[in-house]
Amino acid sequence: MTITTAAGRGVRVCSLSDLETERGRAALIEGEQVALFLLPDGTVHAVDNLDPFSGAHVISRGIVGSRGEAPTVASPLHKQVFDLRTGECLETQGKVGGPLRVWPVAVDGQDVYVGMPERVAS
């Protein structure tokens, strides 16, 4: 089943009960790894699971936190911190890398749907 997210059509990836608060889960959508995070306020965020600094698929194992009002995840490898709402890297730890793509999420009852992200121009 599909559902319309703010950015278009999405696919059901899991149930809310499959997610733990502030613990990441990885999903495979059309061959791409996505990291899902359930926050204490009940919102679900999805970003690329690929860490742009290390090249490893580890973001779902990152440390969830916040910077001011921004919910964040820190890479488990080198601790770069990313805003879960925008994908922006807030702390590079002195390394060269980039942002995470943000995937649109919709929750319908207990079902979590993820749509395809907008492609970033190169």
Side-chain angles (χ1 to χ4, degrees):
M1 178 178 170
T2 60
I3 192 170
T4 301
T5 66
R9 304 293 288 176
V11 295
R12 182 185 183 282
V13 293
C14 65
S15 174
L16 275 176
S17 63
D18 294 326
L19 302 175
E20 292 180 68
T21 303
E22 297 186 334
R23 300 276 179 156
R25 291 288 187 267
L28 189 61
I29 300 174
E30 294 190 18
E32 297 194 57
Q33 289 189 34
V34 179
L36 297 163
F37 298 93
L38 173 63
L39 300 183
D41 66 2
T43 60
V44 178
H45 292 271
V47 295
D48 280 340
N49 196 34
L50 179 66
D51 180 342
F53 289 83
S54 70
H57 289 89
V58 296
I59 296 297
S60 64
R61 298 293 178 228
I63 302 163
V64 176
S66 63
R67 292 275 173 101
E69 296 293 316
T72 62
V73 63
S75 170
L77 294 180
H78 301 293
K79 309 302 184 249
Q80 286 82 13
V81 177
F82 300 91
D83 185 327
L84 287 172
R85 302 169 305 179
T86 65
E88 176 186 4
C89 185
L90 303 175
E91 177 56 58
T92 65
Q93 299 296 331
K95 298 194 182 296
V96 177
L100 297 173
R101 277 187 308 167
V102 175
W103 295 63
V105 176
V107 177
D108 183 22
Q110 290 295 306
D111 296 319
V112 178
Y113 295 84
V114 176
M116 293 302 291
E118 292 184 19
R119 296 289 173 202
V120 177
S122 300

